[in-house]
Amino acid sequence: MKNAKIVLIVLLGVVILGLCVLLGIGLGGRMRNGGSWWGGWNVSESNTCHLVQEQEFSAEDIDSISIDYTKSSNDVTIYEAEGDSVIVREYASYEAADGELAQIKCQAGKLTVKGPRWHNVFFNFNRYMYTEVYLPADYAGELKINTVSGEISITMDLLLDGQLNLCSTSGDIYAGSQNIRAEKINVSSTSGEIRLPVLEAGEVNISTTSGDISVKEGNSFMSCSSTSGEIIISGGQGDRRVSSTSGDVRVDGLSGSIQVNTTSGEILVRGENGDGKLQSTSGDVLFSAEALTGDISVNTSSGEVILELPENASLDFEASTTSGDINTFFDEALSFSKKGNHAKGTVGSGDREISITTTSGDVNIRKR
């Protein structure tokens, strides 16, 4: 019995060693070609691919498009078509069998592109595929793209009457300098970066578990969350709800209410007008607005708090810090504690309420 166990252990060791060697060869081959080892492609890889499937459909017959590669690793890119048809093209770096191609169907107004199951991925490291979808400029139906290990790219304006849903389990999601409009926009990546252009919708929801989020402009209510990554919203109108477990948050051009929560990261909010609730466990907080449309609440355990407010602001103000100083441009209207770490008072008629708490950090109120 003892000898049998030893033999079994040796055999398992040989198998594991062989798999490691194969993995190293595959990784080396892909990296020498400039590619990733698990799905995905780049310029050098795409140059080695050839067309393996193409299908064309009349856009008039399509109300919604669903692209599903949740059991394979294709990258998906959306291009603008030259004509009025919807075209789907698949490319591969090898001679793909029929069972390795996506099933493409159009029934009852719905176009579906469903990728195959994984095909011997551990023994075919140098095999990769990608998909191109061409849409007419006036396509206005719904669009849903879902990948497991693939990048999603949009290279055209999307002006949809329906919803836009983009999801990648392990891949980046990009759109260039285009405009995207939809009834509702949902974008998520479990482990990937998200970069989006001007967004316009009734509601926008963006999330990534491990990756940065960048939005050029959002004209809608917008919810953004990242477990480990930076969040940047560069402009737009509408309320914001932003959270980051470990990463900075920056919102420019605010025009609405904002709620920000970050466990470990700085918060920077600037805009023409706004109000909000800002909370950081460990990080500095800056809020700057030309006009206040509501109350402001700031809470940080360890960080400096800076507010830039209009000179004629009418405030009901209170600030406290366990270890830090409080400085405002309206000190004469406030009552300070003996230690100077608590201040309270009314400026003007007190139309807006300002509440600031920091355990370890200064509080500075400046003129905007």
Side-chain angles (χ1 to χ4, degrees):
M1 179 65 69
K2 183 177 180 180
N3 291 336
K5 289 183 178 180
I6 294 174
V7 172
L8 180 59
I9 292 173
V10 171
L11 289 175
L12 288 174
V14 171
V15 171
I16 293 172
L17 179 61
L19 289 174
C20 290
V21 171
L22 287 173
L23 180 60
I25 294 172
L27 283 170
R30 289 300 295 273
M31 293 308 175
R32 284 192 296 272
N33 290 331
S36 60
W37 74 275
W38 184 278
W41 61 281
N42 57 27
V43 174
S44 63
E45 292 175 339
S46 65
N47 288 338
T48 67
C49 292
H50 61 279
L51 183 65
V52 293
Q53 179 175 204
E54 178 177 5
Q55 294 197 38
E56 183 173 345
F57 305 89
S58 172
E60 295 180 355
D61 301 329
I62 300 174
D63 299 321
S64 67
I65 299 174
S66 175
I67 303 169
D68 184 358
Y69 283 100
T70 54
K71 296 181 180 179
S72 50
S73 59
N74 288 39
D75 292 342
V76 178
T77 304
I78 304 297
Y79 294 100
E80 183 175 337
E82 295 182 358
D84 297 328
S85 298
V86 175
I87 303 172
V88 181
R89 294 172 179 163
E90 276 194 317
Y91 294 82
S93 64
Y94 62 101
E95 296 301 326
D98 291 342
E100 296 173 312
L101 303 180
Q103 295 181 3
I104 305 174
K105 299 179 181 179
C106 185
Q107 296 177 338
K110 182 176 182 179
L111 173 63
T112 60
V113 180
K114 188 173 182 61
R117 293 181 179 273
W118 298 98
H119 42 82
N120 299 325
V121 66
F122 287 107
F123 299 98
N124 295 293
F125 298 104
N126 290 315
R127 293 190 174 191
Y128 42 87
M129 299 178 68
Y130 66 92
T131 301
E132 297 178 347
V133 179
Y134 293 80
L135 302 179
D138 59 354
Y139 175 75
E142 292 191 352
L143 177 60
K144 179 179 180 180
I145 305 174
N146 200 334
T147 71
V148 169
S149 178
E151 180 180 298
I152 299 174
S153 302
I154 297 175
T155 67
M156 62 176 289
D157 290 343
L158 285 178
L159 306 177
L160 309 178
D161 295 331
Q163 293 191 18
L164 174 65
N165 295 289
L166 307 175
C167 177
S168 177
T169 302
S170 177
D172 299 330
I173 300 176
Y174 297 119
S177 59
Q178 294 74 30
N179 299 321
I180 296 179
R181 184 190 71 199
E183 176 188 12
K184 185 178 181 180
I185 298 174
N186 298 308
V187 182
S188 64
S189 177
T190 302
S191 177
E193 180 177 306
I194 297 175
R195 289 208 310 260
L196 300 172
V198 178
L199 305 178
E200 184 175 348
E203 180 180 338
V204 175
N205 299 293
I206 304 171
S207 65
T208 177
T209 301
S210 177
D212 297 337
I213 295 174
S214 176
V215 180
K216 182 178 181 180
E217 183 177 316
N219 295 308
S220 63
F221 166 78
M222 182 178 295
S223 173
C224 294
S225 65
S226 176
T227 302
S228 177
E230 181 180 56
I231 298 176
I232 299 176
I233 304 173
S234 299
Q237 298 183 349
D239 296 342
R240 308 281 187 251
R241 185 171 65 238
V242 184
S243 64
S244 175
T245 301
S246 177
D248 297 337
V249 172
R250 176 170 179 169
V251 178
D252 290 315
L254 177 68
S255 181
S257 297
I258 187 168
Q259 180 176 335
V260 181
N261 191 315
T262 176
T263 302
S264 176
E266 297 183 352
I267 298 174
L268 174 60
V269 178
R270 291 193 179 100
E272 297 179 0
N273 58 78
D275 58 79
K277 184 177 182 179
L278 315 175
Q279 183 169 337
S280 175
T281 302
S282 176
D284 297 336
V285 177
L286 184 147
F287 180 92
S288 178
E290 296 180 5
L292 298 180
T293 56
D295 302 335
I296 299 175
S297 173
V298 181
N299 189 312
T300 177
S301 297
S302 176
E304 180 182 13
V305 177
I306 300 175
L307 298 187
E308 296 179 348
L309 305 176
E311 184 176 1
N312 60 351
S314 181
L315 310 171
D316 188 4
F317 180 87
E318 184 173 7
S320 63
T321 173
T322 303
S323 175
D325 298 324
I326 299 174
N327 299 286
T328 76
F329 64 85
F330 44 80
D331 283 356
E332 68 281 355
L334 305 177
S335 297
F336 287 82
S337 63
K338 291 183 180 181
K339 293 183 178 180
N341 60 350
H342 182 269
K344 186 176 182 180
T346 300
V347 181
S349 58
D351 296 332
R352 308 300 184 193
E353 182 176 325
I354 305 292
S355 175
I356 302 171
T357 303
T358 177
T359 303
S360 176
D362 296 335
V363 175
N364 291 292
I365 313 299
R366 306 169 180 170
K367 296 178 184 179
R368 171 67 186 259

mmCIF file with all atom_site columns, all heavy atoms in Angstrom, residues 71-86:
data_model
loop_
_atom_site.group_PDB
_atom_site.id
_atom_site.type_symbol
_atom_site.label_atom_id
_atom_site.label_alt_id
_atom_site.label_comp_id
_atom_site.label_asym_id
_atom_site.label_entity_id
_atom_site.label_seq_id
_atom_site.pdbx_PDB_ins_code
_atom_site.Cartn_x
_atom_site.Cartn_y
_atom_site.Cartn_z
_atom_site.occupancy
_atom_site.B_iso_or_equiv
_atom_site.pdbx_formal_charge
_atom_site.auth_seq_id
_atom_site.auth_comp_id
_atom_site.auth_asym_id
_atom_site.auth_atom_id
_atom_site.pdbx_PDB_model_num
ATOM 1   N N   . LYS A 1 71 ? -18.824 31.748 -22.695 1.00 0.00 ? 71 LYS A N   1
ATOM 2   C CA  . LYS A 1 71 ? -18.179 30.435 -22.615 1.00 0.00 ? 71 LYS A CA  1
ATOM 3   C C   . LYS A 1 71 ? -16.996 30.337 -23.561 1.00 0.00 ? 71 LYS A C   1
ATOM 4   O O   . LYS A 1 71 ? -16.526 29.248 -23.880 1.00 0.00 ? 71 LYS A O   1
ATOM 5   C CB  . LYS A 1 71 ? -19.206 29.340 -22.912 1.00 0.00 ? 71 LYS A CB  1
ATOM 6   C CG  . LYS A 1 71 ? -20.319 29.267 -21.880 1.00 0.00 ? 71 LYS A CG  1
ATOM 7   C CD  . LYS A 1 71 ? -21.310 28.167 -22.195 1.00 0.00 ? 71 LYS A CD  1
ATOM 8   C CE  . LYS A 1 71 ? -22.411 28.116 -21.140 1.00 0.00 ? 71 LYS A CE  1
ATOM 9   N NZ  . LYS A 1 71 ? -23.415 27.060 -21.418 1.00 0.00 ? 71 LYS A NZ  1
ATOM 10  N N   . SER A 1 72 ? -16.530 31.475 -24.041 1.00 0.00 ? 72 SER A N   1
ATOM 11  C CA  . SER A 1 72 ? -15.338 31.531 -24.881 1.00 0.00 ? 72 SER A CA  1
ATOM 12  C C   . SER A 1 72 ? -14.666 32.871 -24.629 1.00 0.00 ? 72 SER A C   1
ATOM 13  O O   . SER A 1 72 ? -15.095 33.634 -23.765 1.00 0.00 ? 72 SER A O   1
ATOM 14  C CB  . SER A 1 72 ? -15.705 31.337 -26.360 1.00 0.00 ? 72 SER A CB  1
ATOM 15  O OG  . SER A 1 72 ? -16.755 32.193 -26.729 1.00 0.00 ? 72 SER A OG  1
ATOM 16  N N   . SER A 1 73 ? -13.638 33.186 -25.397 1.00 0.00 ? 73 SER A N   1
ATOM 17  C CA  . SER A 1 73 ? -12.785 34.316 -25.012 1.00 0.00 ? 73 SER A CA  1
ATOM 18  C C   . SER A 1 73 ? -12.629 35.370 -26.105 1.00 0.00 ? 73 SER A C   1
ATOM 19  O O   . SER A 1 73 ? -11.622 36.055 -26.150 1.00 0.00 ? 73 SER A O   1
ATOM 20  C CB  . SER A 1 73 ? -11.407 33.798 -24.600 1.00 0.00 ? 73 SER A CB  1
ATOM 21  O OG  . SER A 1 73 ? -10.809 33.086 -25.662 1.00 0.00 ? 73 SER A OG  1
ATOM 22  N N   . ASN A 1 74 ? -13.598 35.522 -26.977 1.00 0.00 ? 74 ASN A N   1
ATOM 23  C CA  . ASN A 1 74 ? -13.459 36.481 -28.067 1.00 0.00 ? 74 ASN A CA  1
ATOM 24  C C   . ASN A 1 74 ? -13.520 37.926 -27.587 1.00 0.00 ? 74 ASN A C   1
ATOM 25  O O   . ASN A 1 74 ? -14.346 38.277 -26.746 1.00 0.00 ? 74 ASN A O   1
ATOM 26  C CB  . ASN A 1 74 ? -14.580 36.280 -29.096 1.00 0.00 ? 74 ASN A CB  1
ATOM 27  C CG  . ASN A 1 74 ? -14.406 35.032 -29.913 1.00 0.00 ? 74 ASN A CG  1
ATOM 28  O OD1 . ASN A 1 74 ? -13.994 34.013 -29.397 1.00 0.00 ? 74 ASN A OD1 1
ATOM 29  N ND2 . ASN A 1 74 ? -14.734 35.108 -31.192 1.00 0.00 ? 74 ASN A ND2 1
ATOM 30  N N   . ASP A 1 75 ? -12.664 38.774 -28.152 1.00 0.00 ? 75 ASP A N   1
ATOM 31  C CA  . ASP A 1 75 ? -12.855 40.216 -28.058 1.00 0.00 ? 75 ASP A CA  1
ATOM 32  C C   . ASP A 1 75 ? -13.979 40.608 -29.006 1.00 0.00 ? 75 ASP A C   1
ATOM 33  O O   . ASP A 1 75 ? -14.162 39.984 -30.059 1.00 0.00 ? 75 ASP A O   1
ATOM 34  C CB  . ASP A 1 75 ? -11.585 40.962 -28.452 1.00 0.00 ? 75 ASP A CB  1
ATOM 35  C CG  . ASP A 1 75 ? -10.453 40.757 -27.451 1.00 0.00 ? 75 ASP A CG  1
ATOM 36  O OD1 . ASP A 1 75 ? -10.734 40.339 -26.311 1.00 0.00 ? 75 ASP A OD1 1
ATOM 37  O OD2 . ASP A 1 75 ? -9.300  41.018 -27.815 1.00 0.00 ? 75 ASP A OD2 1
ATOM 38  N N   . VAL A 1 76 ? -14.703 41.665 -28.671 1.00 0.00 ? 76 VAL A N   1
ATOM 39  C CA  . VAL A 1 76 ? -15.808 42.129 -29.505 1.00 0.00 ? 76 VAL A CA  1
ATOM 40  C C   . VAL A 1 76 ? -15.632 43.619 -29.775 1.00 0.00 ? 76 VAL A C   1
ATOM 41  O O   . VAL A 1 76 ? -15.462 44.410 -28.841 1.00 0.00 ? 76 VAL A O   1
ATOM 42  C CB  . VAL A 1 76 ? -17.172 41.880 -28.823 1.00 0.00 ? 76 VAL A CB  1
ATOM 43  C CG1 . VAL A 1 76 ? -18.299 42.409 -29.699 1.00 0.00 ? 76 VAL A CG1 1
ATOM 44  C CG2 . VAL A 1 76 ? -17.372 40.402 -28.543 1.00 0.00 ? 76 VAL A CG2 1
ATOM 45  N N   . THR A 1 77 ? -15.670 44.001 -31.049 1.00 0.00 ? 77 THR A N   1
ATOM 46  C CA  . THR A 1 77 ? -15.550 45.401 -31.441 1.00 0.00 ? 77 THR A CA  1
ATOM 47  C C   . THR A 1 77 ? -16.753 45.795 -32.283 1.00 0.00 ? 77 THR A C   1
ATOM 48  O O   . THR A 1 77 ? -17.135 45.076 -33.205 1.00 0.00 ? 77 THR A O   1
ATOM 49  C CB  . THR A 1 77 ? -14.258 45.650 -32.236 1.00 0.00 ? 77 THR A CB  1
ATOM 50  O OG1 . THR A 1 77 ? -13.132 45.217 -31.468 1.00 0.00 ? 77 THR A OG1 1
ATOM 51  C CG2 . THR A 1 77 ? -14.102 47.137 -32.549 1.00 0.00 ? 77 THR A CG2 1
ATOM 52  N N   . ILE A 1 78 ? -17.332 46.946 -31.970 1.00 0.00 ? 78 ILE A N   1
ATOM 53  C CA  . ILE A 1 78 ? -18.479 47.472 -32.705 1.00 0.00 ? 78 ILE A CA  1
ATOM 54  C C   . ILE A 1 78 ? -17.988 48.568 -33.650 1.00 0.00 ? 78 ILE A C   1
ATOM 55  O O   . ILE A 1 78 ? -17.354 49.538 -33.215 1.00 0.00 ? 78 ILE A O   1
ATOM 56  C CB  . ILE A 1 78 ? -19.541 48.044 -31.750 1.00 0.00 ? 78 ILE A CB  1
ATOM 57  C CG1 . ILE A 1 78 ? -19.984 46.985 -30.739 1.00 0.00 ? 78 ILE A CG1 1
ATOM 58  C CG2 . ILE A 1 78 ? -20.735 48.568 -32.534 1.00 0.00 ? 78 ILE A CG2 1
ATOM 59  C CD1 . ILE A 1 78 ? -20.644 45.779 -31.336 1.00 0.00 ? 78 ILE A CD1 1
ATOM 60  N N   . TYR A 1 79 ? -18.286 48.402 -34.949 1.00 0.00 ? 79 TYR A N   1
ATOM 61  C CA  . TYR A 1 79 ? -17.921 49.381 -35.965 1.00 0.00 ? 79 TYR A CA  1
ATOM 62  C C   . TYR A 1 79 ? -19.183 49.929 -36.630 1.00 0.00 ? 79 TYR A C   1
ATOM 63  O O   . TYR A 1 79 ? -20.238 49.292 -36.610 1.00 0.00 ? 79 TYR A O   1
ATOM 64  C CB  . TYR A 1 79 ? -17.045 48.747 -37.046 1.00 0.00 ? 79 TYR A CB  1
ATOM 65  C CG  . TYR A 1 79 ? -15.683 48.295 -36.581 1.00 0.00 ? 79 TYR A CG  1
ATOM 66  C CD1 . TYR A 1 79 ? -15.444 46.951 -36.284 1.00 0.00 ? 79 TYR A CD1 1
ATOM 67  C CD2 . TYR A 1 79 ? -14.627 49.191 -36.457 1.00 0.00 ? 79 TYR A CD2 1
ATOM 68  C CE1 . TYR A 1 79 ? -14.193 46.522 -35.866 1.00 0.00 ? 79 TYR A CE1 1
ATOM 69  C CE2 . TYR A 1 79 ? -13.371 48.760 -36.043 1.00 0.00 ? 79 TYR A CE2 1
ATOM 70  C CZ  . TYR A 1 79 ? -13.159 47.429 -35.760 1.00 0.00 ? 79 TYR A CZ  1
ATOM 71  O OH  . TYR A 1 79 ? -11.913 47.008 -35.351 1.00 0.00 ? 79 TYR A OH  1
ATOM 72  N N   . GLU A 1 80 ? -19.038 51.072 -37.260 1.00 0.00 ? 80 GLU A N   1
ATOM 73  C CA  . GLU A 1 80 ? -20.144 51.625 -38.052 1.00 0.00 ? 80 GLU A CA  1
ATOM 74  C C   . GLU A 1 80 ? -20.121 51.020 -39.452 1.00 0.00 ? 80 GLU A C   1
ATOM 75  O O   . GLU A 1 80 ? -19.086 51.017 -40.132 1.00 0.00 ? 80 GLU A O   1
ATOM 76  C CB  . GLU A 1 80 ? -20.045 53.141 -38.144 1.00 0.00 ? 80 GLU A CB  1
ATOM 77  C CG  . GLU A 1 80 ? -21.202 53.778 -38.899 1.00 0.00 ? 80 GLU A CG  1
ATOM 78  C CD  . GLU A 1 80 ? -21.166 55.292 -38.873 1.00 0.00 ? 80 GLU A CD  1
ATOM 79  O OE1 . GLU A 1 80 ? -20.537 55.871 -37.961 1.00 0.00 ? 80 GLU A OE1 1
ATOM 80  O OE2 . GLU A 1 80 ? -21.763 55.915 -39.784 1.00 0.00 ? 80 GLU A OE2 1
ATOM 81  N N   . ALA A 1 81 ? -21.264 50.491 -39.879 1.00 0.00 ? 81 ALA A N   1
ATOM 82  C CA  . ALA A 1 81 ? -21.370 49.878 -41.206 1.00 0.00 ? 81 ALA A CA  1
ATOM 83  C C   . ALA A 1 81 ? -21.487 50.948 -42.277 1.00 0.00 ? 81 ALA A C   1
ATOM 84  O O   . ALA A 1 81 ? -21.997 52.046 -42.037 1.00 0.00 ? 81 ALA A O   1
ATOM 85  C CB  . ALA A 1 81 ? -22.583 48.946 -41.253 1.00 0.00 ? 81 ALA A CB  1
ATOM 86  N N   . GLU A 1 82 ? -21.044 50.620 -43.473 1.00 0.00 ? 82 GLU A N   1
ATOM 87  C CA  . GLU A 1 82 ? -21.157 51.555 -44.593 1.00 0.00 ? 82 GLU A CA  1
ATOM 88  C C   . GLU A 1 82 ? -22.569 51.577 -45.162 1.00 0.00 ? 82 GLU A C   1
ATOM 89  O O   . GLU A 1 82 ? -23.001 52.585 -45.711 1.00 0.00 ? 82 GLU A O   1
ATOM 90  C CB  . GLU A 1 82 ? -20.152 51.182 -45.675 1.00 0.00 ? 82 GLU A CB  1
ATOM 91  C CG  . GLU A 1 82 ? -18.694 51.324 -45.243 1.00 0.00 ? 82 GLU A CG  1
ATOM 92  C CD  . GLU A 1 82 ? -17.733 50.982 -46.371 1.00 0.00 ? 82 GLU A CD  1
ATOM 93  O OE1 . GLU A 1 82 ? -18.229 50.604 -47.465 1.00 0.00 ? 82 GLU A OE1 1
ATOM 94  O OE2 . GLU A 1 82 ? -16.512 51.098 -46.170 1.00 0.00 ? 82 GLU A OE2 1
ATOM 95  N N   . GLY A 1 83 ? -23.290 50.484 -45.031 1.00 0.00 ? 83 GLY A N   1
ATOM 96  C CA  . GLY A 1 83 ? -24.637 50.400 -45.571 1.00 0.00 ? 83 GLY A CA  1
ATOM 97  C C   . GLY A 1 83 ? -25.695 50.268 -44.495 1.00 0.00 ? 83 GLY A C   1
ATOM 98  O O   . GLY A 1 83 ? -25.507 50.709 -43.351 1.00 0.00 ? 83 GLY A O   1
ATOM 99  N N   . ASP A 1 84 ? -26.809 49.638 -44.850 1.00 0.00 ? 84 ASP A N   1
ATOM 100 C CA  . ASP A 1 84 ? -27.947 49.503 -43.946 1.00 0.00 ? 84 ASP A CA  1
ATOM 101 C C   . ASP A 1 84 ? -28.039 48.121 -43.313 1.00 0.00 ? 84 ASP A C   1
ATOM 102 O O   . ASP A 1 84 ? -29.038 47.802 -42.667 1.00 0.00 ? 84 ASP A O   1
ATOM 103 C CB  . ASP A 1 84 ? -29.256 49.792 -44.699 1.00 0.00 ? 84 ASP A CB  1
ATOM 104 C CG  . ASP A 1 84 ? -29.303 51.218 -45.221 1.00 0.00 ? 84 ASP A CG  1
ATOM 105 O OD1 . ASP A 1 84 ? -28.728 52.098 -44.554 1.00 0.00 ? 84 ASP A OD1 1
ATOM 106 O OD2 . ASP A 1 84 ? -29.905 51.429 -46.291 1.00 0.00 ? 84 ASP A OD2 1
ATOM 107 N N   . SER A 1 85 ? -27.030 47.302 -43.484 1.00 0.00 ? 85 SER A N   1
ATOM 108 C CA  . SER A 1 85 ? -27.059 45.945 -42.957 1.00 0.00 ? 85 SER A CA  1
ATOM 109 C C   . SER A 1 85 ? -26.263 45.826 -41.669 1.00 0.00 ? 85 SER A C   1
ATOM 110 O O   . SER A 1 85 ? -25.344 46.620 -41.405 1.00 0.00 ? 85 SER A O   1
ATOM 111 C CB  . SER A 1 85 ? -26.507 44.956 -43.990 1.00 0.00 ? 85 SER A CB  1
ATOM 112 O OG  . SER A 1 85 ? -27.281 44.945 -45.164 1.00 0.00 ? 85 SER A OG  1
ATOM 113 N N   . VAL A 1 86 ? -26.619 44.812 -40.878 1.00 0.00 ? 86 VAL A N   1
ATOM 114 C CA  . VAL A 1 86 ? -25.832 44.424 -39.712 1.00 0.00 ? 86 VAL A CA  1
ATOM 115 C C   . VAL A 1 86 ? -24.957 43.252 -40.139 1.00 0.00 ? 86 VAL A C   1
ATOM 116 O O   . VAL A 1 86 ? -25.447 42.244 -40.652 1.00 0.00 ? 86 VAL A O   1
ATOM 117 C CB  . VAL A 1 86 ? -26.731 44.016 -38.537 1.00 0.00 ? 86 VAL A CB  1
ATOM 118 C CG1 . VAL A 1 86 ? -25.883 43.495 -37.380 1.00 0.00 ? 86 VAL A CG1 1
ATOM 119 C CG2 . VAL A 1 86 ? -27.585 45.190 -38.078 1.00 0.00 ? 86 VAL A CG2 1
#
